[in-house]
Every structure is written in structure tokens, then in C-alpha cells.
Amino acid sequence: MTDTTGAAPGAPGDGPAAEGPRLTTREAAERLGVKPETVYAYVSRGQLTSRRDPAGRGSTFDAGEVEAVARRARGQAQAGGDAMQRISTGITLIEEDRYWFRGVDAVELARSHPYEEVADWLWTGTRRAGLRFAAPAESLAAARRAVGALPPHSGSTDRLRVAAIAAGVADPLRFDLSREAVLQAARALIPTLVDALPPAAGAGPDRRVAVEAGTETGPDDRIAARLWSRLTPRPPAAPAVRALDMALSLLIDHDLAASTLAVRVAASARAHPYAAVSAGLGAVDGPLHGAAGGLAHRMLAEVLERGSAAAVVSDHLRAGRGVPGLGHRLYPRQDPRATALFAALDGMPDAADAVAAAREVAATMARRGGPHANVDLALAALTVASGMRPEAGETVFAVARTAGWIAHALEEYEERPLRLRPRGRYDGPRPPRPLP
């Protein structure tokens, strides 16, 4: 991955192409039935190859390539007519117990670059070293007021969802869905979500004042360091913050999960990016999506308290509950995110007990061919070791995935509006029926 190209890694460049009829951008758009700017979205996804016109008047496209893309689009429209069953995306590929972001190994990306750089690269195809995200003062003030008005028992997802809505209301340009406007909103929304969260419970008065003033992280003002102070009262030790940063990058996207699909449906209806992210946060709030990390956290805490993974696993099975943090339908063997995060935690002395407890849980289930650890178990080891509350994993997941949701919204804004509108199969009583 380099800083010199605006195209997504793996996408064809502007080098020599096979000889044949060439089309201008406008001609290609007409054949595809899209806007001219959408043609370049096909280029960024690697579906079309562009080449500069020799006269320097713009880009040209191979007519055969354009026709092939048009045929695929027509075929998808005819094959069942339900766009919900065939959503093309150039963001994440998952196969054979590995996953890639735009063709780049996602684990290596998370190991090599901080969350902000990975997120911005995922949106633009260009890596900007040293990038920082900053929350606009007006949006942050509105988000903090809204979050502060919530009842004390409110969960982290409640706070994030309210913060997203408030930040959107404070942005008068939120309905501008041009690519650059959405990118500006995204770079402002993520730090607003983090900075609107209150300091971690148990933080001393000096720490709370520093968090409110935005000076609690010292020289490290990255998202991970700022989020750390909202999750735990412990000082932000460098290895632990780096592990948190890696977790954020690992969790940025994972194909069309439930929350991501909700975001794409909202974007298909041309909801602005704040509303689209709010749709994703609504899906995360469901117990079958966002709560997994909290369940795994509580289980590991119990293992450490009782000193036995076998006893805790046995109690879960006896009660008819699944053992949290194990197995994933997309990874028959190893979840690469868990493997990478556990490796990062191995370098943290404070995490040794939590990691050992997690591995003991996985080993106990493996005795009879049970599933392997997934990323929820590794994230729980991080949150337990760092003195965080059980819901911290859900917070990390939601903040991380916001970047992926924006990437999917950007893709969906380039598609035909309202295409994600399936038709119901009515199975109620046939009319006519008498009035009740």
C-alpha cells in the first residue's frame, strides 16, 4: 500500500490497455445508465480501467469492458429482481479463514497502520500518514448536551446513537451527499462520537476535567487514545492503547453484517450519513449483534473469579446457553481477527490472566470438537485486562464499524436510489374479508 495513488489497491491503473474502441466518460455513463461520476466508482472498485485521452481532455474507457459491466448489471436485475440478494461491494472479501479490505490483507493492515489511516484509506484509496480526526466544536457541544441529558443507566450504544443524531442536526450541510461532503462528515462524526462519551466510571476528578477539555491523551490524540479514557479509569499505557487501536482497525468492516445492511438500506433511500450511521447503531443494539462482546466479558470475569474455565463452561451448557466468544459462520476454522488480537495481547503483561482464561475456555470446548475462539472472545480479553466495563466491547465495535458503514454508504450513494426495496410474499388470508 502506498500514498501515491487515488485508486483502491488492486485496482487497475492508467497504464496501457488492450486496443479497441474507446469511450469518453459521458459515453460510458450513458451505456451504463449512471451518472458520469459513478463511472469512476467502477474504476475505484477495479471493474473498469481508465486511460487518459492523448489530447489530455479527460479519461477514456474500453468499450468492451463497459459493455461487460452493463451486461452484469442487466443480468443481476433480471435474476430474481431482488437487489437485497445480490449487493455488489468492493470493500471486504472473506474466504478461507482470511479477509481483505479492497484486496489488502486486513490483519496486516491493522498491524501496520492506525485506525484513522485505515478508515480514510478505505474511503478514498489513498493513505495519509499521520492523519488525525477532529470533532467540530459546534457538533461536539450538541452531542455532549444530548448525551448528558440521558438517564444515568443509559448504555453506550444509546449514547452513541444520540450523539450521532445530535451531530447531524448541528450540521446544516448534512443533506449534501456529494462524495467530498460525505467524507468531511465522516471525518468529523467519528471523533464526535468518541469525545461525546463521558469519562470512564471511577476516573478521578483531575482525569474527568482533562477528558472534558480534550487534553487527557497528551501527545497521542488518536481515536484509540481518546476512546481509552472513556472506557477505563486506568492510565493509557502504550501497549494497551496500541492493542485497542488494532482492535478498531480489525473491526472496521466485515461484509454485509446486519448493521451494515441497515446502513445500506438507509443510504439507498438517500438518508444522510449521520442517519445512515444511526441505522447501523440501531441494529447493533440488538442482542444478537452487538451484545456478544459483553457476554464474553462477563464469562471471562467469572472464569477469573472462580479460577476454572471448565466450571463456567459447564454452567453455561447446563443452563442451555451457548458459550459466548466461540465460532463464526464465516470462519469454519480460525477467526483471523481473534488470532491477530490475541497475538497483540500476548505482549501485554497485564493481559496474561485474561488471555489465559480465554484460551482455557476455547480449549475446554475444543475437547469435543467445539468451535474456535472468535473476535468477541479476544476483545473480551482486552476489555477485562484493561479494567473496562462489560459493554466496552460493544462501544469499541460500534466506533470501529462506523468507518465501514461510511464506506458502504459511499458505495450505495452511487447506486440507483431505493433499489434495496424487496417485495414481500403475502401469506395472509385472501380478500375479500368482512370488516372486523
Side-chain angles (χ1 to χ4, degrees), residues 96-150:
E96 298 179 355
D97 288 334
R98 295 181 66 188
Y99 74 125
W100 294 262
F101 292 155
R102 301 202 185 282
V104 175
D105 187 297
V107 169
E108 291 303 315
L109 199 63
R111 285 177 177 150
S112 304
H113 302 294
Y115 170 72
E116 291 92 330
E117 293 180 18
V118 176
D120 205 75
W121 168 81
L122 196 67
W123 302 332
T124 67
T126 301
R127 178 194 158 225
R128 296 195 289 167
L131 178 67
R132 299 290 196 274
F133 290 160
E138 186 175 354
S139 294
L140 179 56
R144 281 180 166 171
R145 285 194 299 270
V147 170
L150 293 175

Side-chain angles (χ1 to χ4, degrees), residues 293-346:
L295 296 175
H297 177 110
R298 291 181 175 87
M299 177 187 67
L300 287 189
E302 186 180 358
V303 170
L304 291 172
E305 180 183 354
R306 297 174 61 178
S308 171
V312 174
V313 167
S314 178
D315 285 350
H316 273 75
L317 297 177
R318 183 179 184 183
R321 303 190 304 266
V323 179
L326 299 177
H328 196 289
R329 67 176 66 185
L330 299 182
Y331 299 115
R333 294 177 292 276
Q334 298 285 346
D335 183 338
R337 303 168 299 172
T339 303
L341 190 51
F342 274 129
L345 294 175
D346 282 337

Side-chain angles (χ1 to χ4, degrees), residues 28-116:
E30 289 175 354
R31 293 203 185 185
L32 293 168
V34 298
K35 297 179 293 184
E37 52 265 33
T38 303
V39 174
Y40 293 98
Y42 287 114
V43 175
S44 69
R45 298 176 198 171
Q47 295 173 282
L48 287 178
T49 304
S50 67
R51 190 169 69 186
R52 296 296 297 175
D53 185 292
R57 290 190 295 269
S59 298
T60 64
F61 304 86
D62 182 270
E65 276 191 354
V66 173
E67 181 56 35
V69 171
R71 281 199 303 271
R72 286 196 298 271
R74 288 194 296 269
Q76 290 177 1
Q78 294 168 1
D82 190 351
M84 297 291 280
Q85 299 300 321
R86 43 183 78 246
I87 299 175
S88 296
T89 174
I91 299 171
T92 300
L93 170 66
I94 302 172
E95 60 183 19
E96 298 179 355
D97 288 334
R98 295 181 66 188
Y99 74 125
W100 294 262
F101 292 155
R102 301 202 185 282
V104 175
D105 187 297
V107 169
E108 291 303 315
L109 199 63
R111 285 177 177 150
S112 304
H113 302 294
Y115 170 72
E116 291 92 330

Side-chain angles (χ1 to χ4, degrees), residues 415-435:
E415 300 288 351
R416 175 172 52 83
L418 292 174
R419 72 188 184 108
L420 302 183
R421 203 301 190 185
R423 183 174 179 180
R425 182 181 291 112
Y426 179 76
D427 61 358
R430 296 293 304 172
R433 303 272 295 176
L435 288 173

Side-chain angles (χ1 to χ4, degrees), residues 51-428:
R51 190 169 69 186
R52 296 296 297 175
D53 185 292
R57 290 190 295 269
S59 298
T60 64
F61 304 86
D62 182 270
E65 276 191 354
V66 173
E67 181 56 35
V69 171
R71 281 199 303 271
R72 286 196 298 271
R74 288 194 296 269
Q76 290 177 1
Q78 294 168 1
D82 190 351
M84 297 291 280
Q85 299 300 321
R86 43 183 78 246
I87 299 175
S88 296
T89 174
I91 299 171
T92 300
L93 170 66
I94 302 172
E95 60 183 19
E96 298 179 355
D97 288 334
R98 295 181 66 188
Y99 74 125
W100 294 262
F101 292 155
R102 301 202 185 282
V104 175
D105 187 297
V107 169
E108 291 303 315
L109 199 63
R111 285 177 177 150
S112 304
H113 302 294
Y115 170 72
E116 291 92 330
E117 293 180 18
V118 176
D120 205 75
W121 168 81
L122 196 67
W123 302 332
T124 67
T126 301
R127 178 194 158 225
R128 296 195 289 167
L131 178 67
R132 299 290 196 274
F133 290 160
E138 186 175 354
S139 294
L140 179 56
R144 281 180 166 171
R145 285 194 299 270
V147 170
L150 293 175
H153 64 267
S154 301
S156 62
T157 307
D158 298 322
R159 295 187 175 103
L160 291 172
R161 190 164 58 248
V162 166
I165 294 170
V169 173
D171 181 1
L173 303 180
R174 62 188 179 277
F175 295 105
D176 183 351
L177 301 185
S178 65
R179 185 174 185 82
E180 190 53 42
V182 173
L183 289 172
Q184 290 181 13
R187 294 173 184 131
L189 175 58
I190 291 175
T192 298
L193 294 179
V194 172
D195 292 352
L197 294 174
D206 292 343
R207 181 87 173 278
R208 296 181 70 87
V209 169
V211 168
E212 290 297 329
T215 60
E216 80 285 2
T217 59
D220 187 356
D221 58 352
R222 291 191 185 277
I223 291 295
R226 287 145 68 180
L227 181 59
W228 176 274
S229 297
R230 273 77 183 174
L231 300 178
T232 176
R234 295 184 185 178
V241 175
R242 174 59 191 139
L244 177 58
D245 183 271
M246 185 175 179
L248 289 169
S249 294
L250 289 169
L251 291 167
I252 278 182
D253 190 58
H254 209 234
D255 195 36
L256 293 176
S259 56
T260 304
L261 181 58
V263 168
R264 291 200 74 129
V265 171
S268 176
R270 294 306 182 257
H272 56 73
Y274 302 92
V277 167
S278 182
L281 289 167
V284 164
D285 208 22
L288 300 182
H289 191 17
L295 296 175
H297 177 110
R298 291 181 175 87
M299 177 187 67
L300 287 189
E302 186 180 358
V303 170
L304 291 172
E305 180 183 354
R306 297 174 61 178
S308 171
V312 174
V313 167
S314 178
D315 285 350
H316 273 75
L317 297 177
R318 183 179 184 183
R321 303 190 304 266
V323 179
L326 299 177
H328 196 289
R329 67 176 66 185
L330 299 182
Y331 299 115
R333 294 177 292 276
Q334 298 285 346
D335 183 338
R337 303 168 299 172
T339 303
L341 190 51
F342 274 129
L345 294 175
D346 282 337
M348 292 172 49
D350 291 346
D353 290 344
V355 169
R359 286 180 168 149
E360 189 182 352
V361 168
T364 299
M365 289 296 291
R367 292 175 187 171
R368 295 187 179 177
H372 293 279
N374 63 32
V375 72
D376 295 316
L377 190 63
L379 186 58
L382 170 62
T383 58
V384 169
S386 303
M388 299 176 184
R389 295 175 62 84
E391 65 268 19
E394 185 174 343
T395 307
V396 174
F397 176 89
V399 171
R401 193 56 60 88
T402 299
W405 293 336
I406 292 294
H408 281 273
L410 284 166
E411 278 194 342
E412 194 58 44
Y413 289 146
E414 299 290 349
E415 300 288 351
R416 175 172 52 83
L418 292 174
R419 72 188 184 108
L420 302 183
R421 203 301 190 185
R423 183 174 179 180
R425 182 181 291 112
Y426 179 76
D427 61 358

